[in-house]
Amino acid sequence: MNFFFKSKSYKIISIMVAALFFALWCPSLVAKAQINNNNLTLEKLELFASVFYHIRENYVDETDDEVLIQSALNSALNSLDPHSGFSSASDFLEQKKAEKREYGGLGIEVSLENGIIKVNHAIKDGPAYISGIREGDMISSVGGEPIKGKTLEKAVEGMRGAPGDPIKLIILKPDNTEVELNVVRQIVRGRAVRHRIEKGYGYVYIETFNNSKLTEDLIDALNSITKGLNGDLPGLIIDLRGNRGGLLEQSVKVSSLFLDGGEVLSAKGKKLQDIQRYHAEQGELLPDTPIVIIINSGSASAAEIVAGALQDRGRAVVVGRRSFGKGSVQSVIPLSRGNGALKITTQRYYTPSGESIQGRGIMPDVLVAITSDTGKIKKRLREDSLRNSLSNKDDTNFKEVYKKIIYPSDDWNSSDDFQLHKAIELLSLEQYDEIIESNMSIESFN
Amino acid sequence: MKYVFSVFALIFAVFLYTSSSFNKTAIAFDGNTYEDAFEQLDLFADVLARVNNDYVVDINNSKLIGEAINGMLQSLDPHSSYIDPKEYKNLQISTSGEYSGLGMEVTSDEGFVKVISPIDGTPAKKAGIKSGDYIIEINDESIIGLPLSEAVDLMRGKPGQSVKITIARNNDEKIELNLKREIIKRQIVSYSIKEGLAYVRISQFNENAYRELSVAISSLKKEMSSEIPGLILDLRGNPGGLLDQSIKVSSAFLDGGEVVSTKGRKESDNRNYNADIGELLKGVPLVILIDEGSASASEIVAGAIQDRKRGLIVGMKSFGKGSVQTIVPLKGGKDGAIKLTTQRYYTPSGESIQGRGITPNILIDYLPEGSKKANARKEADLPNTLPIETEKTQKETDSIIPVDYPPNGFKIESDYQLKRSMEILKSDTYLNKLNSSS
């Protein structure tokens, strides 16, 4: 798999165990009076205030009020469930930055091949693109330093920098001509989508939904693939493996691209009468193209919404392994006076067939493993293995059936992607239509 | 009373503040920081209101605020925390050393409750419960798989009440016993005569530590009729306890003079603690055994005896916890209590133990050199610990003291540290080392 540019702040987000949905809240909606009529709570608040005061006065060293309160909030919110928490003002800023995915650099996506950098994609109108760098070019030297012997991360680090700073690159064109270029770094926006043509089919990898321009990038990627296949796209793979989720809005928009109206998901809060339904817009992008979605135990929340919607609606076949199982929506509530933000679980969501994903995940139509059979199902970190996670009323057995899992044979070359291989295979099989039909009939039963 | 705590499990507390004095403080924020503090409290209330309104299920505010208090305290250092009402009750029990129950030490063994040993003279001992027995039922209810603390709760209760215990012995033998709960006093000091020397072990510093020590010493005096040629005070693995008990225990071996001093944030909080005039074993050579598990109150005793040159410290470098926590009950314990670090303490020579520990005069390990040891965590390894205050002292920069290791193949049960301590007490090494210590 290719390596891509990642902004530092983005990395911080991506290593978080929990996937996040961000849905901005309107702070004015909150009625502060709610808890004041509760004497017990008021009494406990008083207790909190007196402990706070006692610490300020008596701790062995000077204390910082802000640190004390932030630690209190963090601990209280973390105790609710694994996805609720408090973000300090600086964390909150980092999160907002990650959504935009902006950094100072050249605007290319690269991988390391045979010791030199290969350009997989030059972001349109980015500094590299304007200087004439195109997909397929190789970079042999950055800032006067040869790439050979460097890791990809080191090489990428050399390309990043303050906007306005020029950098000298030596480019090898596909026809083996060498070009020396001076590229001025700019603030560029990275993509959360990678695309390529794989054995005559379209392949898109969505890395995260925590990107406010994801849907636009995805449409561009699909257009570029269709163009590359001279207008004939026989099938599409959407790879959501390891996708930890992101913005709820983006998951609805992405699902909507492939659905002609109808429900994508519904979300319910504490008051059961408050059901929020999200619908796809009329018209779809690729009405006659078969779609296979690949998921694994690392596919969570927004990724599960897309997989669940397209599976339930009979629009795509899902292959891979049971997904993470995060069926809750978090709201990020910015606090006044730049005091950071709180992120709390406000809703559970349900796929179009009314199923909750919480603690269960999406079960693929075809279970395909990535590595060969060891004789048993390995335990993986999923929502239900997190301490204190929200429970699901539906506790019927939802385990992968070992006998149904397709494993690569022992002599399968492990550098080849077996799940992708099976996904492409499925696009041209009759089994694809059978699965679609049976999924649609399940939906009409409900 | 103040408390010197350690990180180890099952530790004990008494309180410096009463609930009434605590509640009064809540009103009086001082002027210049009032606004900031109030703004922060306002923020907290605001968040709580939002969570109550918008969280996906109903909130238990008591629990939430308990977590908030704990988070605030734990952000300070590894020894400050919130103690919930149930833990607080257990803390009082372990502090007093008294509880009403059956009188056995138990442990958890793969989901089973296993008897380590019944305590002499208790209902468990009288009923014939033996070390290694498994307790499988209490009052006909199975306790297999029950957390140890809950099983212990079931065995405790009002004195005089009977409890039916079912035990499994030697795999299949099932025995039912009816026991009556009694007040059990936990012994924390034990003593014996070893090779003509007096040996006293203190396992923790609860409120009986000094009283039990003085009883042990007078018994030893009686049993050894002639002069006691030397005393070994074993504080290995002793995680600490009450500050005042550590002072009293030190005082037993010192004729007046400073034992320890403590400093809080304000100068007015600084205190010097002195030994009483007169000592229990005047002129008797004294060796104190310590190891990595000797913490806080143990370190105060070792530090005072070492600094005052009253005895030799032998064994391995101690844990290094140089802070004092105060237990403040909330609403008389109804809402639990908070444990807050309020002071640092200093040995008579003015040294802080924090992060450093006490370095013995003679370093002796219990395992042969290069043996694999369970990784002993020290204060300095704890996350967010209080920083070490001063630069390395003369003592530490002095040439490194060589460690005396047992020969290969020496059995752990034979206790090399104790064996060497006895040899030291009987030889010239004792006086030579004592006189040469800086």
Side-chain angles (χ1 to χ4, degrees), chain B residues 172-219:
Chain B
D172 48 11
E173 202 183 334
K174 213 170 152 184
I175 305 165
E176 289 184 359
L177 296 167
N178 271 305
L179 286 81
K180 228 178 218 138
R181 291 188 184 110
E182 281 177 15
I183 298 286
I184 311 291
K185 287 197 172 84
R186 194 184 290 145
Q187 288 285 119
I188 53 157
V189 175
S190 59
Y191 71 91
S192 59
I193 301 162
K194 286 184 200 282
E195 297 181 17
L197 295 169
Y199 169 86
V200 176
R201 168 166 175 73
I202 304 178
S203 61
Q204 54 169 257
F205 287 90
N206 75 14
E207 58 191 38
N208 302 324
Y210 175 73
R211 194 179 45 76
E212 286 189 30
L213 173 73
S214 55
V215 170
I217 287 177
S218 46
S219 308

Side-chain angles (χ1 to χ4, degrees), chain B residues 292-308:
Chain B
E292 297 88 339
S294 307
S296 51
S298 296
E299 294 178 293
I300 288 180
V301 175
I305 299 301
Q306 186 178 47
D307 277 7
R308 301 280 307 277

Side-chain angles (χ1 to χ4, degrees), chain B residues 93-303:
Chain B
I93 290 167
S94 54
T95 303
S96 67
E98 264 183 29
Y99 64 96
S100 169
L102 305 176
M104 53 191 152
E105 283 184 59
V106 290
T107 183
S108 168
D109 183 11
E110 290 180 21
F112 290 91
V113 175
K114 187 181 174 181
V115 178
I116 299 173
S117 64
I119 299 165
D120 282 344
T122 64
K125 184 82 178 186
K126 283 179 236 165
I129 289 176
K130 290 189 165 66
S131 298
D133 285 352
Y134 288 95
I135 301 171
I136 53 172
E137 284 172 18
I138 298 172
N139 291 331
D140 294 324
E141 295 272 345
S142 169
I143 57 158
I144 295 168
L146 203 69
L148 187 63
S149 60
E150 284 176 38
V152 168
D153 274 353
L154 289 176
M155 289 189 266
R156 288 186 182 162
K158 282 202 179 111
Q161 277 178 343
S162 15
V163 186
K164 189 173 162 197
I165 299 280
T166 310
I167 58 172
R169 186 177 293 165
N170 304 331
N171 297 327
D172 48 11
E173 202 183 334
K174 213 170 152 184
I175 305 165
E176 289 184 359
L177 296 167
N178 271 305
L179 286 81
K180 228 178 218 138
R181 291 188 184 110
E182 281 177 15
I183 298 286
I184 311 291
K185 287 197 172 84
R186 194 184 290 145
Q187 288 285 119
I188 53 157
V189 175
S190 59
Y191 71 91
S192 59
I193 301 162
K194 286 184 200 282
E195 297 181 17
L197 295 169
Y199 169 86
V200 176
R201 168 166 175 73
I202 304 178
S203 61
Q204 54 169 257
F205 287 90
N206 75 14
E207 58 191 38
N208 302 324
Y210 175 73
R211 194 179 45 76
E212 286 189 30
L213 173 73
S214 55
V215 170
I217 287 177
S218 46
S219 308
L220 278 166
K221 276 180 177 166
K222 235 179 268 166
E223 286 170 38
M224 296 175 81
S225 58
S226 59
E227 276 287 282
I228 294 176
L231 173 77
I232 293 165
L233 180 64
D234 190 349
L235 298 178
R236 289 176 296 177
N238 181 327
L242 293 162
L243 175 61
D244 78 315
Q245 288 295 321
S246 74
I247 294 160
K248 281 186 177 164
V249 167
S250 306
S251 179
F253 303 104
L254 294 169
D255 188 7
E258 186 172 315
V259 172
V260 70
S261 60
T262 61
K263 285 181 193 164
R265 177 146 36 128
K266 295 169 218 140
E267 218 167 288
S268 59
D269 293 338
N270 296 353
R271 298 267 180 285
N272 286 337
Y273 296 93
N274 293 314
D276 296 330
I277 303 296
E279 45 182 309
L280 288 183
L281 289 171
K282 202 169 175 66
V284 174
L286 172 65
V287 161
I288 297 185
L289 261 175
I290 59 169
D291 66 8
E292 297 88 339
S294 307
S296 51
S298 296
E299 294 178 293
I300 288 180
V301 175

Side-chain angles (χ1 to χ4, degrees), chain A residues 281-319:
Chain A
E281 285 165 39
Q282 299 296 319
E284 56 178 303
L285 215 53
L286 304 163
D288 302 315
T289 309
I291 299 174
V292 170
I293 295 176
I294 314 177
I295 57 171
N296 63 13
S297 62
S299 307
S301 56
E304 294 177 292
I305 287 179
V306 173
L310 269 52
Q311 185 184 43
D312 274 10
R313 298 282 308 277
R315 181 61 192 89
V317 170
V318 177
V319 306

Side-chain angles (χ1 to χ4, degrees), chain B residues 24-153:
Chain B
K24 269 182 231 154
T25 59
I27 323 143
F29 283 93
D30 61 83
N32 44 350
T33 59
Y34 174 86
E35 247 171 63
D36 182 39
F38 206 79
E39 188 183 312
Q40 292 296 330
L41 276 176
D42 196 40
L43 170 69
F44 182 80
D46 192 28
V47 169
L48 199 72
R50 284 164 193 235
V51 171
N52 270 270
N53 241 16
D54 300 334
Y55 191 68
V56 67
V57 289
D58 281 325
I59 299 281
N60 177 345
N61 278 311
S62 267
K63 187 180 161 261
L64 200 68
I65 290 175
E67 292 284 350
I69 291 174
N70 196 29
M72 190 157 61
L73 287 161
Q74 286 190 335
S75 76
L76 297 166
D77 64 67
H79 307 291
S80 295
S81 66
Y82 173 67
I83 301 164
D84 70 31
K86 202 175 154 190
E87 277 176 82
Y88 180 63
K89 223 169 153 186
N90 286 338
L91 200 68
Q92 286 173 298
I93 290 167
S94 54
T95 303
S96 67
E98 264 183 29
Y99 64 96
S100 169
L102 305 176
M104 53 191 152
E105 283 184 59
V106 290
T107 183
S108 168
D109 183 11
E110 290 180 21
F112 290 91
V113 175
K114 187 181 174 181
V115 178
I116 299 173
S117 64
I119 299 165
D120 282 344
T122 64
K125 184 82 178 186
K126 283 179 236 165
I129 289 176
K130 290 189 165 66
S131 298
D133 285 352
Y134 288 95
I135 301 171
I136 53 172
E137 284 172 18
I138 298 172
N139 291 331
D140 294 324
E141 295 272 345
S142 169
I143 57 158
I144 295 168
L146 203 69
L148 187 63
S149 60
E150 284 176 38
V152 168
D153 274 353

